[in-house]
Amino acid sequence: MLKRKELRQESVNRRIVWEKPFFLGVLIVVEKPLLIVNNIEVTYEHVIKVLKAVSLVVPEGGMVALLGANGAGKSTTLKAISNLLKAERGEVTKGTIEFDGMRIDLMDPAKVVKRGVIQIMEDRRLFEHLTVERDLLTGAYTRRREKAAVKQDLEMVYHYFPGLRGRRNTKTGYISGGEKQMVAIGRALMARPKLMLLDEPSVGLAPLLVREIFDIVGTLNREQKVTILLAEQNVAMALQIAGYGFVMENGRVVLDGDSQTLKDNEDIKEFYLGLTDIGKKSYRDVKRYKRRKRWVA
Amino acid sequence: MLFFLEVILSGLLAGVMYSLVAIGFVLILKASGVFNFAQGAMVLFAALTFVCLLEKAIPFWAAFFITLAVMIVLAVAIERIVLRPLVAKPPIILFMATIGLAFFLEGLGQGIWGADVHGLNIGIPDDPFEWLMNKGILISQFDLVAAFIAAILVTVLVLFFHKTATGTALMAVSDDPEAAQSVGISLRWIWVITWSISGFVALVAGIMWGTRLGVQYSLSLIVLKALPVLILGGFESIAGAIIAGLIIGASEKLADVYIGPYVGGGLENFFPYFLAMVFLCFRPYGLFGREAIERV
């Protein structure tokens, strides 16, 4: 294993510009990469390989979507970045993850949070026996010595989610699904993160609420300069707010491009957005898609 | 009437002693989700270390803090050697590990300090409290002091859990360890803290019980008395442990005095278990245990 100093040196050398011909031969140049996931492979229980050669890059201040169906590997990718895989007996067996010029794939999850990466897990995962306010405060655990700043941030969270103020003394086990998602996002905000990994915020929410949550996420991205990596099944919604997207299938990234390109992509239109102007499709076309998928991967 | 009062009071005070032991269980169960079978062994180990230091003519407070330090070192070692390699394993495996730990601690304590029975005298007489005696109630001074100490201990613990960031983190971990990790709470650190606190509680309980019964191997069996307290109060509530301790203490004395004569006596020893069984039938999560919150 490399010593920490060497790790830093290594990443500084490769820092300046991330330049790599991605899938489909598109050359991506990101001026200021905040997060670089380089060719990672994730194995659960030492035998089950779930991610195969996943690479992605998130620019500083950007909003990037990670799209795909159930079981495509979105959550696993996020957990690999935030280093929460160990709790599920998974590990990154190949590749590297760099954040802000430093490798984080071998770090303790608490240290990863301290460096500015926070994950909002699927299904909110609140501490249901804590009140809303104390739940929010757990997000500031890594900054527990900066009392004044934490208090200020609590006000900031109530500013973005005014509905939570009235619920501050209610146990989070008793609040509604939309409020839970707001607490989850607010809690992450309390850590003052540079990068937020948002896992399926839309799951189980009414469309109107999904819209509201996504709007707030967009606002946070703009106003608080939080970089966001958003894993979503709701492709249409995600591509509306994200600037760039990676599409995952079967533990691989099969497609990527800026939102407009993805929205215009025939496969995306058909398989994720449910749009098609050709009417009925023949089996051959589906086969072509499958073949291409294999080829790209 | 006075006699009734005396029975109840002495029962409540005995109950406090049960609560002291039960709290140690609750703490660890809350933080690492494991029923710590080694709690009794920790009580024995702490008391044994403490009493042997006293016998080496080390002053009371010095001995107390040295023992406390030993318990903290023990907590760090347990986290490093037992808990860390078993992370994300099913609770039953951790439980088995604590059984192993119990045997190890009993052996270690007696290996270092010997298996003799040590008398422990901390300078509080086990005599009736005079002010109450004049009113016709016989209550031991020692019991009163023990109750007072327990009250302070519990107040400190409750304040710690509800007013500090670390306490909040502990509650978070007991709700959802993975989510706690995702917000940057280090599980290892939390484990070290809870095992240390529970070591501290074991030390206090060990001193109290050691004074009463003498420090010897059977001290590790007081966990058997804590069990009905836990079932009654709920395994995850400190307040529950206190109140259940009081209920158990008072009810076993009352049952022994008032029902005992009709059934041939000896009720005190099994009444708590009977009560626990009734609770298991009708309210398995105890008085204050966490009923799963479910929104309908």
Side-chain angles (χ1 to χ4, degrees):
Chain A
M1 215 199 292
L2 290 165
K3 287 268 151 44
R4 179 167 294 177
K5 212 171 182 183
E6 298 171 55
L7 285 180
R8 192 173 308 179
Q9 198 49 49
E10 186 196 24
S11 40
V12 165
N13 291 342
R14 294 201 279 122
R15 172 130 196 225
I16 329 299
V17 169
W18 167 264
E19 200 172 318
K20 182 172 179 285
F22 259 112
F23 330 94
L24 306 179
V26 184
L27 184 81
I28 306 174
V29 180
V30 176
E31 283 289 344
K32 269 173 139 186
L34 184 66
L35 175 79
I36 303 171
V37 175
N38 189 6
N39 237 337
I40 57 163
E41 181 183 289
V42 169
T43 314
Y44 280 113
E45 314 242 358
H46 299 294
V47 280
I48 310 158
K49 205 195 273 183
V50 251
L51 293 190
K52 302 142 201 160
V54 169
S55 294
L56 48 94
V57 57
V58 179
E60 197 167 337
M63 163 112 74
V64 173
L66 194 56
L67 310 167
N70 252 339
K74 304 183 300 291
S75 295
T76 305
T77 308
L78 294 194
K79 280 185 184 161
I81 298 167
S82 58
N83 233 331
L84 292 176
L85 283 174
K86 274 222 184 77
E88 297 170 1
R89 280 187 281 164
E91 56 179 338
V92 178
T93 38
K94 267 186 204 158
T96 58
I97 299 168
E98 268 172 53
F99 173 76
D100 212 4
M102 195 164 174
R103 271 185 71 173
I104 54 167
D105 48 328
L106 303 169
M107 257 183 209
D108 193 71
K111 287 216 180 93
V112 175
V113 174
K114 239 179 202 162
R115 289 197 66 81
V117 183
I118 197 153
Q119 176 167 5
I120 300 162
M121 291 201 284
E122 203 175 338
D123 291 332
R124 321 355 158 184
R125 302 294 284 268
L126 301 183
F127 307 120
E128 51 182 27
H129 292 86
L130 293 184
T131 61
V132 166
E133 185 152 309
R134 283 184 75 198
D135 201 310
L136 289 173
L137 285 172
T138 59
Y141 180 75
T142 49
R143 312 161 52 217
R144 58 193 177 281
R145 291 200 179 79
E146 320 157 23
K147 288 216 171 79
V150 168
K151 215 168 182 183
Q152 226 171 1
D153 289 348
L154 194 61
E155 282 308 308
M156 173 188 76
V157 170
Y158 287 141
H159 164 72
Y160 285 110
F161 303 102
L164 294 184
R165 198 186 287 272
R167 302 292 245 152
R168 66 207 296 177
N169 292 323
T170 313
K171 282 191 179 170
T172 61
Y174 295 113
I175 61 180
S176 75
E179 287 169 330
K180 279 184 181 166
Q181 188 61 57
M182 292 178 192
V183 174
I185 295 175
R187 181 171 82 189
L189 213 53
M190 293 295 290
R192 279 268 164 205
K194 289 184 194 138
L195 172 67
M196 231 184 226
L197 309 169
L198 204 48
D199 198 351
E200 302 257 5
S202 74
V203 86
L205 295 184
L208 220 57
L209 267 172
V210 175
R211 158 118 298 159
E212 196 184 331
I213 299 269
F214 273 39
D215 281 347
I216 296 173
V217 170
T219 315
L220 290 177
N221 176 245
R222 280 192 308 276
E223 291 180 3
Q224 298 294 326
K225 307 271 173 273
V226 188
T227 308
I228 287 165
L229 178 58
L230 168 74
E232 244 321 324
Q233 290 193 45
N234 190 337
V235 173
M237 196 65 108
L239 286 180
Q240 267 180 36
I241 58 164
Y244 200 89
F246 292 85
V247 182
M248 291 191 78
E249 265 172 40
N250 278 327
R252 298 166 201 269
V253 175
V254 290
L255 198 66
D256 70 285
D258 57 69
S259 300
Q260 202 48 53
T261 320
L262 286 182
K263 270 191 236 170
D264 294 340
N265 183 298
E266 289 301 323
D267 292 337
I268 295 284
K269 267 191 193 166
E270 183 179 350
F271 291 98
Y272 291 100
L273 301 176
L275 307 167
T276 166
D277 39 23
I278 325 166
K280 253 192 186 166
K281 265 211 153 184
S282 77
Y283 177 61
R284 191 190 294 158
D285 296 320
V286 182
K287 231 168 63 181
R288 185 194 125 257
Y289 169 73
K290 281 204 166 144
R291 201 166 52 235
R292 211 179 73 199
K293 219 176 70 187
R294 217 175 304 134
W295 177 77
V296 229
Chain B
M1 188 59 207
L2 272 182
F3 178 67
F4 175 75
L5 215 61
E6 183 182 315
V7 172
I8 279 208
L9 270 179
S10 69
L12 289 177
L13 292 170
V16 169
M17 300 278 282
Y18 301 148
S19 301
L20 265 180
V21 183
I23 290 170
F25 283 99
V26 173
L27 283 172
I28 288 185
L29 195 81
K30 268 173 100 97
S32 36
V34 54
F35 182 81
N36 179 21
F37 196 81
Q39 192 64 34
M42 279 168 71
V43 172
L44 172 67
F45 184 79
L48 211 53
T49 309
F50 178 74
V51 78
C52 290
L53 286 174
L54 275 189
E55 281 170 9
K56 292 208 173 7
I58 293 171
F60 180 87
W61 285 110
F64 184 84
F65 284 111
I66 293 172
T67 315
L68 186 58
V70 170
M71 294 313 282
I72 290 172
V73 170
L74 191 69
V76 174
I78 289 171
E79 188 277 320
R80 184 70 201 83
I81 300 165
V82 182
L83 299 177
R84 206 183 290 181
L86 293 181
V87 73
K89 294 271 196 290
I92 188 70
I93 291 182
L94 275 167
F95 174 67
M96 296 304 282
T98 66
I99 294 182
L101 188 65
F103 287 121
F104 175 77
L105 280 180
E106 281 163 12
L108 183 72
Q110 296 183 64
I112 298 176
W113 305 112
D116 303 331
V117 179
H118 301 263
L120 176 58
N121 182 6
I122 53 173
I124 306 162
D126 208 348
D127 300 329
F129 185 54
E130 270 182 41
W131 182 76
L132 277 175
M133 192 165 67
N134 295 339
K135 299 217 179 323
I137 299 173
L138 288 172
I139 294 293
S140 155
Q141 281 185 34
F142 176 79
D143 278 346
L144 283 174
V145 172
F148 183 64
I149 290 174
I152 293 177
L153 188 75
V154 169
T155 317
V156 170
L157 282 178
V158 168
L159 285 179
F160 173 74
F161 269 100
H162 288 270
K163 297 287 169 203
T164 68
T166 311
T168 309
L170 280 167
M171 309 254 292
V173 169
S174 77
D175 255 351
D176 188 337
E178 205 191 347
Q181 255 188 323
S182 84
V183 295
I185 295 169
S186 161
L187 289 188
R188 294 172 183 175
W189 177 233
I190 293 297
W191 287 336
V192 168
I193 290 183
T194 33
W195 283 76
S196 299
I197 296 177
S198 140
F200 170 66
V201 174
L203 173 60
V204 175
I207 293 173
M208 291 303 161
W209 278 98
T211 310
R212 164 95 358 129
L213 303 173
V215 178
Q216 55 184 317
Y217 175 77
S218 68
L219 207 53
S220 66
L221 300 179
I222 54 169
V223 292
L224 294 181
K225 275 282 187 188
L227 220 53
V229 174
L230 289 169
I231 291 172
L232 208 66
F235 279 82
E236 289 176 322
S237 162
I238 291 183
I242 308 292
I243 293 171
L246 296 176
I247 294 177
I248 294 270
S251 64
E252 71 174 15
K253 287 278 187 313
L254 286 175
D256 198 46
V257 170
Y258 291 103
I259 308 174
Y262 303 106
V263 293
L267 259 183
E268 188 175 355
N269 288 327
F270 79 84
F271 191 76
Y273 302 99
F274 170 73
L275 212 56
M277 204 178 68
V278 171
F279 259 76
L280 280 179
C281 291
F282 296 106
R283 209 179 152 90
Y285 42 83
L287 286 172
F288 295 88
R290 37 183 59 184
E291 200 176 344
I293 289 186
E294 215 166 314
R295 232 175 143 266
V296 209

